[in-house]
Structure formats: structure tokens, C-alpha cells
Short mmCIF file of all heavy atoms in Angstrom, two decimals:
data_model
loop_
_atom_site.label_atom_id
_atom_site.label_comp_id
_atom_site.label_asym_id
_atom_site.label_seq_id
_atom_site.Cartn_x
_atom_site.Cartn_y
_atom_site.Cartn_z
N THR A 223 115.47 25.29 7.10
CA THR A 223 114.65 25.53 8.30
C THR A 223 115.34 26.48 9.28
O THR A 223 114.82 26.72 10.37
CB THR A 223 114.35 24.21 9.03
OG1 THR A 223 115.56 23.67 9.57
CG2 THR A 223 113.72 23.20 8.09
N SER A 224 116.49 27.02 8.91
CA SER A 224 117.26 27.91 9.80
C SER A 224 116.46 29.15 10.19
O SER A 224 115.77 29.75 9.37
CB SER A 224 118.55 28.34 9.11
OG SER A 224 119.24 29.28 9.88
N PRO A 225 116.62 29.54 11.49
CA PRO A 225 117.32 28.85 12.57
C PRO A 225 116.40 27.86 13.26
O PRO A 225 115.29 28.19 13.66
CB PRO A 225 117.71 30.00 13.52
CG PRO A 225 116.62 31.02 13.32
CD PRO A 225 116.17 30.88 11.90
N SER A 226 116.88 26.64 13.47
CA SER A 226 116.10 25.61 14.15
C SER A 226 117.02 24.46 14.51
O SER A 226 118.14 24.35 14.00
CB SER A 226 114.96 25.11 13.25
OG SER A 226 115.46 24.22 12.26
N GLY A 227 116.53 23.55 15.34
CA GLY A 227 117.29 22.37 15.67
C GLY A 227 117.46 21.44 14.49
O GLY A 227 118.43 20.68 14.42
N VAL A 228 116.51 21.47 13.55
CA VAL A 228 116.63 20.65 12.35
C VAL A 228 117.80 21.14 11.49
O VAL A 228 118.59 20.34 10.99
CB VAL A 228 115.31 20.66 11.56
CG1 VAL A 228 115.47 19.95 10.22
CG2 VAL A 228 114.20 20.00 12.38
N GLU A 229 117.90 22.45 11.35
CA GLU A 229 119.07 23.01 10.65
C GLU A 229 120.35 22.68 11.40
O GLU A 229 121.38 22.33 10.81
CB GLU A 229 118.91 24.52 10.50
CG GLU A 229 120.15 25.26 10.05
CD GLU A 229 120.98 25.76 11.23
OE1 GLU A 229 120.40 26.35 12.16
OE2 GLU A 229 122.22 25.55 11.21
N GLY A 230 120.31 22.77 12.74
CA GLY A 230 121.48 22.44 13.55
C GLY A 230 121.90 20.99 13.37
O GLY A 230 123.09 20.66 13.44
N ALA A 231 120.93 20.11 13.11
CA ALA A 231 121.25 18.71 12.87
C ALA A 231 121.98 18.53 11.54
O ALA A 231 122.90 17.72 11.43
CB ALA A 231 119.97 17.86 12.89
N ALA A 232 121.57 19.29 10.52
CA ALA A 232 122.28 19.22 9.24
C ALA A 232 123.72 19.68 9.39
O ALA A 232 124.65 19.08 8.83
CB ALA A 232 121.56 20.08 8.21
N THR A 233 123.93 20.73 10.18
CA THR A 233 125.28 21.21 10.45
C THR A 233 126.07 20.17 11.25
O THR A 233 127.22 19.84 10.91
CB THR A 233 125.24 22.53 11.23
OG1 THR A 233 124.53 23.51 10.46
CG2 THR A 233 126.63 23.04 11.53
N GLY A 234 125.47 19.65 12.31
CA GLY A 234 126.15 18.67 13.14
C GLY A 234 126.51 17.41 12.39
O GLY A 234 127.60 16.84 12.59
N LEU A 235 125.62 16.95 11.52
CA LEU A 235 125.93 15.75 10.74
C LEU A 235 127.10 16.02 9.80
O LEU A 235 127.94 15.14 9.58
CB LEU A 235 124.70 15.31 9.94
CG LEU A 235 124.84 13.98 9.19
CD1 LEU A 235 125.15 12.84 10.14
CD2 LEU A 235 123.58 13.69 8.38
N GLY A 236 127.18 17.25 9.27
CA GLY A 236 128.33 17.61 8.46
C GLY A 236 129.63 17.48 9.24
O GLY A 236 130.62 16.94 8.74
N TYR A 237 129.64 17.95 10.49
CA TYR A 237 130.83 17.85 11.32
C TYR A 237 131.15 16.39 11.67
O TYR A 237 132.32 15.99 11.71
CB TYR A 237 130.67 18.67 12.59
CG TYR A 237 131.04 20.12 12.41
CD1 TYR A 237 130.08 21.08 12.12
CD2 TYR A 237 132.36 20.54 12.52
CE1 TYR A 237 130.42 22.40 11.94
CE2 TYR A 237 132.71 21.86 12.35
CZ TYR A 237 131.74 22.79 12.05
OH TYR A 237 132.09 24.10 11.87
N SER A 238 130.14 15.59 11.96
CA SER A 238 130.39 14.18 12.27
C SER A 238 130.91 13.43 11.05
O SER A 238 131.79 12.56 11.16
CB SER A 238 129.11 13.53 12.80
OG SER A 238 128.82 13.97 14.12
N LYS A 239 130.41 13.77 9.87
CA LYS A 239 130.93 13.16 8.64
C LYS A 239 132.37 13.60 8.39
O LYS A 239 133.18 12.82 7.88
CB LYS A 239 130.05 13.53 7.45
CG LYS A 239 128.71 12.82 7.42
CD LYS A 239 127.91 13.21 6.18
CE LYS A 239 126.60 12.45 6.09
NZ LYS A 239 125.82 12.86 4.88
N MET A 240 132.69 14.85 8.72
CA MET A 240 134.08 15.31 8.59
C MET A 240 135.02 14.41 9.37
O MET A 240 136.09 14.03 8.87
CB MET A 240 134.19 16.75 9.10
CG MET A 240 133.63 17.81 8.21
SD MET A 240 133.34 19.39 9.08
CE MET A 240 134.91 19.66 9.90
N VAL A 241 134.65 14.08 10.60
CA VAL A 241 135.49 13.21 11.44
C VAL A 241 135.71 11.87 10.76
O VAL A 241 136.84 11.38 10.65
CB VAL A 241 134.82 12.99 12.82
CG1 VAL A 241 135.65 12.02 13.66
CG2 VAL A 241 134.62 14.30 13.54
N PHE A 242 134.63 11.28 10.29
CA PHE A 242 134.68 9.97 9.65
C PHE A 242 135.58 9.98 8.42
O PHE A 242 136.50 9.17 8.29
CB PHE A 242 133.24 9.56 9.28
CG PHE A 242 133.11 8.25 8.59
CD1 PHE A 242 133.01 7.08 9.31
CD2 PHE A 242 133.06 8.18 7.21
CE1 PHE A 242 132.88 5.85 8.68
CE2 PHE A 242 132.93 6.96 6.55
CZ PHE A 242 132.84 5.79 7.29
N VAL A 243 135.34 10.92 7.52
CA VAL A 243 136.07 10.97 6.25
C VAL A 243 137.54 11.29 6.48
O VAL A 243 138.43 10.63 5.91
CB VAL A 243 135.42 12.00 5.30
CG1 VAL A 243 136.27 12.18 4.05
CG2 VAL A 243 134.02 11.57 4.93
N ALA A 244 137.83 12.30 7.30
CA ALA A 244 139.22 12.71 7.52
C ALA A 244 140.02 11.61 8.20
O ALA A 244 141.18 11.35 7.84
CB ALA A 244 139.27 13.99 8.34
N ASN A 245 139.43 10.95 9.18
CA ASN A 245 140.14 9.88 9.87
C ASN A 245 140.47 8.73 8.92
O ASN A 245 141.60 8.23 8.90
CB ASN A 245 139.31 9.37 11.05
CG ASN A 245 139.96 8.18 11.74
OD1 ASN A 245 139.69 7.04 11.39
ND2 ASN A 245 140.81 8.45 12.72
N LEU A 246 139.51 8.32 8.12
CA LEU A 246 139.74 7.19 7.22
C LEU A 246 140.77 7.52 6.15
O LEU A 246 141.63 6.69 5.82
CB LEU A 246 138.43 6.75 6.57
CG LEU A 246 137.33 6.21 7.51
CD1 LEU A 246 136.19 5.64 6.68
CD2 LEU A 246 137.87 5.16 8.46
N LEU A 247 140.71 8.73 5.60
CA LEU A 247 141.68 9.09 4.57
C LEU A 247 143.09 9.20 5.16
O LEU A 247 144.07 8.78 4.53
CB LEU A 247 141.29 10.39 3.88
CG LEU A 247 142.16 10.74 2.67
CD1 LEU A 247 142.05 9.68 1.59
CD2 LEU A 247 141.79 12.12 2.12
N ALA A 248 143.20 9.72 6.37
CA ALA A 248 144.51 9.78 7.03
C ALA A 248 145.07 8.37 7.24
O ALA A 248 146.26 8.11 7.03
CB ALA A 248 144.41 10.52 8.36
N MET A 249 144.20 7.45 7.65
CA MET A 249 144.66 6.06 7.85
C MET A 249 145.09 5.43 6.53
O MET A 249 146.05 4.66 6.49
CB MET A 249 143.54 5.24 8.49
CG MET A 249 143.15 5.70 9.88
SD MET A 249 144.45 5.46 11.10
CE MET A 249 144.08 3.83 11.70
N PHE A 250 144.41 5.76 5.44
CA PHE A 250 144.80 5.24 4.13
C PHE A 250 146.19 5.74 3.74
O PHE A 250 147.04 4.96 3.29
CB PHE A 250 143.76 5.66 3.09
CG PHE A 250 144.14 5.30 1.68
CD1 PHE A 250 144.08 3.99 1.24
CD2 PHE A 250 144.55 6.27 0.79
CE1 PHE A 250 144.44 3.64 -0.06
CE2 PHE A 250 144.91 5.95 -0.51
CZ PHE A 250 144.85 4.63 -0.94
N ILE A 251 146.42 7.04 3.94
CA ILE A 251 147.73 7.61 3.59
C ILE A 251 148.82 7.00 4.45
O ILE A 251 149.92 6.68 3.97
CB ILE A 251 147.68 9.14 3.74
CG1 ILE A 251 146.75 9.74 2.68
CG2 ILE A 251 149.08 9.75 3.64
CD1 ILE A 251 146.50 11.23 2.84
N ARG A 252 148.56 6.79 5.74
CA ARG A 252 149.54 6.16 6.61
C ARG A 252 149.83 4.73 6.16
O ARG A 252 150.96 4.25 6.25
CB ARG A 252 149.05 6.18 8.05
CG ARG A 252 149.00 7.57 8.66
CD ARG A 252 148.20 7.58 9.94
NE ARG A 252 148.02 8.94 10.45
CZ ARG A 252 147.06 9.30 11.31
NH1 ARG A 252 146.21 8.38 11.77
NH2 ARG A 252 146.96 10.54 11.71
N GLY A 253 148.80 4.05 5.67
CA GLY A 253 148.98 2.69 5.19
C GLY A 253 149.87 2.62 3.95
O GLY A 253 150.44 1.56 3.66
N LEU A 254 149.99 3.74 3.24
CA LEU A 254 150.89 3.81 2.08
C LEU A 254 152.33 4.07 2.49
O LEU A 254 153.23 4.04 1.65
CB LEU A 254 150.42 4.91 1.12
CG LEU A 254 149.01 4.79 0.56
CD1 LEU A 254 148.71 5.97 -0.36
CD2 LEU A 254 148.80 3.47 -0.17
N GLY A 255 152.53 4.38 3.78
CA GLY A 255 153.88 4.62 4.28
C GLY A 255 154.23 6.08 4.47
O GLY A 255 155.41 6.43 4.60
N TYR A 256 153.21 6.97 4.54
CA TYR A 256 153.45 8.40 4.70
C TYR A 256 152.76 8.90 5.97
O TYR A 256 151.95 8.20 6.58
CB TYR A 256 152.94 9.16 3.47
CG TYR A 256 153.66 8.79 2.21
CD1 TYR A 256 153.22 7.73 1.42
CD2 TYR A 256 154.81 9.48 1.81
CE1 TYR A 256 153.89 7.37 0.26
CE2 TYR A 256 155.49 9.12 0.65
CZ TYR A 256 155.03 8.07 -0.12
OH TYR A 256 155.70 7.72 -1.26
N ARG A 257 153.08 10.12 6.35
CA ARG A 257 152.49 10.73 7.53
C ARG A 257 151.27 11.56 7.13
O ARG A 257 151.23 12.12 6.03
CB ARG A 257 153.50 11.61 8.25
CG ARG A 257 154.71 10.85 8.81
CD ARG A 257 155.73 11.80 9.41
NE ARG A 257 156.34 12.64 8.39
CZ ARG A 257 157.10 13.71 8.65
NH1 ARG A 257 157.31 14.07 9.92
NH2 ARG A 257 157.62 14.42 7.67
N ALA A 258 150.29 11.65 8.04
CA ALA A 258 149.06 12.37 7.73
C ALA A 258 148.46 12.99 8.98
O ALA A 258 148.36 12.32 10.01
CB ALA A 258 148.04 11.45 7.06
N ILE A 259 148.07 14.25 8.89
CA ILE A 259 147.42 14.96 9.98
C ILE A 259 145.97 15.23 9.57
O ILE A 259 145.70 16.07 8.71
CB ILE A 259 148.12 16.30 10.28
CG1 ILE A 259 149.53 16.06 10.80
CG2 ILE A 259 147.31 17.13 11.27
CD1 ILE A 259 150.33 17.33 10.99
N PRO A 260 144.99 14.51 10.15
CA PRO A 260 143.59 14.82 9.87
C PRO A 260 143.16 16.06 10.66
O PRO A 260 143.58 16.24 11.80
CB PRO A 260 142.85 13.57 10.34
CG PRO A 260 143.73 12.99 11.41
CD PRO A 260 145.14 13.37 11.07
N SER A 261 142.33 16.88 10.06
CA SER A 261 141.98 18.15 10.70
C SER A 261 140.55 18.55 10.35
O SER A 261 140.13 18.45 9.19
CB SER A 261 142.95 19.24 10.24
OG SER A 261 142.53 20.52 10.66
N GLY A 262 139.82 19.00 11.36
CA GLY A 262 138.50 19.59 11.15
C GLY A 262 138.64 21.10 11.20
O GLY A 262 139.20 21.72 10.30
N ASN A 263 138.13 21.71 12.27
CA ASN A 263 138.30 23.16 12.46
C ASN A 263 139.61 23.48 13.18
O ASN A 263 139.90 24.64 13.44
CB ASN A 263 137.13 23.74 13.25
CG ASN A 263 135.91 23.95 12.39
OD1 ASN A 263 135.91 23.62 11.21
ND2 ASN A 263 134.85 24.47 12.98
N ASP A 264 140.39 22.48 13.50
CA ASP A 264 141.62 22.67 14.25
C ASP A 264 142.82 22.87 13.32
O ASP A 264 142.71 22.69 12.10
CB ASP A 264 141.88 21.45 15.14
CG ASP A 264 141.93 20.16 14.31
OD1 ASP A 264 140.85 19.72 13.85
OD2 ASP A 264 143.01 19.62 14.11
N THR A 265 143.94 23.23 13.88
CA THR A 265 145.28 23.24 13.26
C THR A 265 145.48 24.34 12.22
O THR A 265 146.45 25.11 12.28
CB THR A 265 145.62 21.87 12.63
OG1 THR A 265 145.43 20.85 13.61
CG2 THR A 265 147.06 21.84 12.14
N ALA A 266 144.59 24.44 11.22
CA ALA A 266 144.79 25.41 10.14
C ALA A 266 143.45 25.91 9.62
O ALA A 266 142.40 25.28 9.84
CB ALA A 266 145.59 24.77 9.00
N LEU A 267 143.49 27.04 8.93
CA LEU A 267 142.29 27.69 8.41
C LEU A 267 141.78 26.94 7.17
O LEU A 267 142.51 26.77 6.19
CB LEU A 267 142.59 29.14 8.05
CG LEU A 267 143.04 30.02 9.22
CD1 LEU A 267 143.68 31.30 8.70
CD2 LEU A 267 141.85 30.35 10.11
N SER A 268 140.53 26.54 7.19
CA SER A 268 139.99 25.71 6.13
C SER A 268 139.62 26.48 4.87
O SER A 268 139.81 25.97 3.76
CB SER A 268 138.77 24.93 6.64
OG SER A 268 139.12 24.03 7.65
#
């Protein structure tokens, strides 16, 4: 539907899912005894 708010919602949901997935996987790695930096568009080039 691009460009539209419906398309923007698909993009936004992708970003919100990124937060969820990256945070949980980082917590899993930390639970194993290692360090983990979760990252979306920050820190490094994807």
C-alpha cells in the first residue's frame, strides 16, 4: 500500500519486533554467562 499509513504500520511493527527479539536474545546470552549488546539501527551498520 506504499506510501500510506498502512505501509508505515508494517514498517513500525518490524521495528517494534526488532526491540522484542533483540532484547530477549541478549538476555538469553547474558544468562549463559556472556556479554551481549542488543542493537537496532544504533551502534553499527546492519
Side-chain angles (χ1 to χ4, degrees):
T223 67
S224 174
S226 77
V228 173
E229 168 268 313
T233 301
L235 186 59
Y237 275 95
S238 287
K239 286 182 177 179
M240 286 163 50
V241 177
F242 179 86
V243 173
N245 176 269
L246 296 188
L247 187 61
M249 296 294 270
F250 174 73
I251 293 173
R252 291 166 187 160
L254 301 179
Y256 297 88
R257 296 175 294 168
I259 294 175
S261 171
N263 281 2
D264 57 287
T265 308
L267 298 164
S268 295

